[in-house]
Amino acid sequence: MANTSVQFTIKIVPAILTINGGSSSLKFAIFATGHGKPQRTVSGEIERIGLPNPTLRVGSSRRPVKVQNHAEALALVLEQINETPGAKDLSAVAHRVVHGGPLYRQHQPVNAAMLAELERLSPFDPEHLPADISLIRCCTEAFPAVPQFACFDTAFHRDLPRVAYLLPIPRKYEKRGIRRYGFHGLSCSWLMQQLKERAGEEAARGRVVIAHLGNGASMTAVHNGRSVDTTMSFTPTAGLVMSRRTGDLDPSLAAYLIRIEKMSVDDFQHMVNAESGLLGISETSSDMRDLLDAQQNDARAADAVDSFCYNAKKHLAGLAAVLGGLDTLIFSAGIGENNAEVRARICHGLEFLGIELDSIANNQNGAIISKKTSKATVHVIKTDEEMYIAQTITALLRNEVTS
Ligand code: ADP
């Protein structure tokens, strides 16, 4: 009798799970990494972890969930992705880690020494590092045989010039690791790669300012592909006015509020990271869309938008001075990618730096929004930190050299 059974070969495509933990969010994605560039097969996010009404988004569908902390959020994510192709055959789990401190200056595999150092560094960034560490530990437990990698937001800024990273406080604190580090480095790396693909090597080696304007917002000056200064500092609270973070403040305000307003240290930390910025000024919302809608009728919303744009303009001009002029400006992240009014208000009056916006291209969120006559070219580029992580780890796994 003829053998009628059919032989199937199941091809296992290696996959990478990326984990990006924010102070109250967890973004995840799975990338198939068989050949060529990584392909995203699923992505999503849990928002409002530890706050009222958390939600889970997978692809474009969203639903309410019950999660109190990052460990519970991760368990839910792992449940969701269980049936996704590749989820059972991960070749790596790659984590965005906000702070590498003085020792961890490159993306690399996680080991016990790194986790111990990150624990020690937790007070450097109590808003993000404890969640990052908890996610790494939970993933190690869930996937004991799968290597874990850490991709550091600080790595892009590792070669900041001394004058940019040295803080003007007593010298002894530098030895204890207190200096400017800079953040949003994964986004900066991705955006510089995209700039090179779009505008060529020469543009990517020129004088560039990256304006990453999301809930967290920063600007970075880049020359010859290297970060030469950046607005965030020892922690991601510094620099621009943000959704809920203050950005730069008079340092003596802390002592005043603690002494006179009887604020505790924790209250102050909470105020500058979660109750300030757009939310603090407007008293209504940390979301730029709400404030733009409300600004005609609500002076507090108008103040918040004014403050955001004014502050960003001031930092942009400062970074252009550091660079000795500007060849390229990149707008990115939620506000930078989507909002013509904010981009126009930041650039207004900066013709002296060679920035001339094309209002039609700007209103259409065009890829290039400057006039042909503008000395500086202004790009709008979508950031993709997860894709950058997947590419970097794929290259590391293939033993390719990465920066
Ligand atoms: P995160 O830093 O949390 O990753 P995002 O990059 O998603 O944040 O940016 C969130 C911010 O982007 C919010 O303030 C939101 O209002 C703003 N945003 C998103 N779309 C628009 C838009 N069309 N116009 C203005 N602001 C927008």
Side-chain angles (χ1 to χ4, degrees):
M1 213 166 102
N3 183 354
T4 52
S5 70
V6 181
Q7 297 268 313
F8 289 102
T9 309
I10 299 174
K11 194 163 168 256
I12 296 173
V13 177
I16 291 178
L17 169 62
T18 61
I19 297 287
N20 178 352
S23 48
S24 61
S25 67
L26 169 52
K27 291 181 187 152
F28 61 92
I30 289 192
F31 291 85
T33 57
H35 300 287
K37 290 189 173 173
Q39 302 293 322
R40 194 174 342 234
T41 55
V42 68
S43 66
E45 181 175 12
I46 299 188
E47 287 178 291
R48 305 186 56 79
I49 299 168
L51 300 170
N53 310 318
T55 56
L56 165 70
R57 176 183 63 74
V58 182
S60 56
S61 80
R62 192 182 288 274
R63 66 179 167 87
V65 289
K66 282 194 181 136
V67 289
Q68 311 239 8
N69 54 42
H70 282 83
E72 288 180 15
L74 183 72
L76 190 61
V77 166
L78 297 184
E79 222 174 85
Q80 292 300 311
I81 61 174
N82 199 22
E83 296 308 318
T84 306
K88 292 200 175 84
D89 300 292
L90 295 176
S91 47
V93 181
H95 300 262
R96 176 185 179 190
V97 178
V98 71
H99 214 311
L103 292 185
Y104 289 95
R105 295 155 54 90
Q106 269 171 343
H107 314 316
Q108 57 194 278
V110 173
N111 58 27
M114 180 194 289
L115 282 177
E117 173 66 0
L118 294 181
E119 296 275 10
R120 191 188 71 81
L121 290 178
S122 269
F124 279 31
D125 189 359
E127 299 298 311
H128 298 94
L129 269 177
D132 291 350
I133 296 166
S134 149
L135 290 167
I136 294 176
R137 289 199 191 285
C138 293
C139 284
T140 311
E141 217 167 275
F143 306 102
V146 178
Q148 313 272 324
F149 287 83
C151 295
F152 296 103
D153 259 319
T154 43
F156 184 74
H157 306 288
R158 64 181 163 243
D159 295 323
L160 280 177
R162 183 160 175 76
V163 71
Y165 74 71
L166 188 65
L167 299 183
I169 55 176
R171 259 186 122 82
K172 63 181 179 188
Y173 293 111
E174 190 197 350
K175 291 193 186 69
R176 300 180 200 170
I178 300 177
R179 48 163 283 178
R180 183 183 304 275
Y181 287 95
F183 301 90
H184 284 146
L186 304 177
S187 176
C188 290
S189 299
W190 170 258
L191 294 169
M192 289 306 295
Q193 191 180 312
Q194 295 301 300
L195 178 67
K196 192 167 156 188
E197 279 181 23
R198 283 179 180 201
E201 177 84 33
E202 202 183 320
R205 299 202 73 77
R207 299 166 300 179
V208 181
V209 170
I210 297 171
H212 176 115
L213 308 179
N215 284 315
S218 70
M219 285 190 184
T220 296
V222 184
H223 195 206
N224 285 321
R226 301 226 174 263
S227 171
V228 294
D229 206 348
T230 187
T231 56
M232 286 177 169
S233 183
F234 177 62
T235 74
T237 316
L240 308 182
V241 171
M242 300 178 227
S243 288
R244 292 166 187 266
R245 293 178 227 161
T246 53
D248 290 347
L249 267 192
D250 177 349
S252 287
L253 188 61
Y256 177 85
L257 291 174
I258 289 167
R259 259 197 232 116
I260 308 299
E261 295 284 333
K262 307 296 176 213
M263 221 178 224
S264 70
V265 172
D266 285 348
D267 289 344
F268 182 78
Q269 174 76 359
H270 187 70
M271 182 193 85
V272 296
N273 282 290
E275 298 175 335
S276 297
L278 296 177
L279 176 64
I281 297 175
S282 69
E283 298 184 306
T284 55
S285 175
S286 62
D287 191 308
M288 183 59 93
R289 282 165 293 199
D290 296 344
L291 300 173
L292 291 166
D293 288 346
Q295 62 182 337
Q296 296 299 337
N297 305 314
D298 181 346
R300 298 167 306 166
D303 278 346
V305 179
D306 284 351
S307 180
F308 183 92
C309 297
Y310 170 80
N311 216 270
K313 183 201 299 277
K314 207 161 113 173
H315 277 93
L316 170 53
L319 293 174
V322 163
L323 291 167
L326 189 67
D327 303 313
T328 301
L329 170 61
I330 300 172
F331 279 108
S332 191
I335 300 170
E337 288 162 24
N338 296 300
N339 197 264
E341 178 180 339
V342 172
R343 290 189 302 250
R345 285 173 66 175
I346 292 172
C347 293
H348 180 73
L350 295 184
E351 292 76 12
F352 77 98
L353 287 178
I355 301 175
E356 286 180 70
L357 284 198
D358 174 332
S359 56
I360 295 173
N362 186 34
N363 289 333
Q364 292 170 342
N365 291 326
I368 291 183
I369 58 169
S370 47
K371 289 184 180 161
K372 290 216 162 64
T373 51
S374 180
K375 285 202 184 105
T377 309
V378 185
H379 293 257
V380 175
I381 307 181
K382 189 171 165 26
T383 197
D384 196 340
E385 287 151 332
E386 280 78 17
M387 181 59 91
Y388 176 74
I389 293 172
Q391 277 184 6
T392 303
I393 299 310
T394 304
L396 275 179
L397 290 171
R398 291 176 186 159
N399 287 325
E400 291 167 8
V401 179
T402 56
S403 61

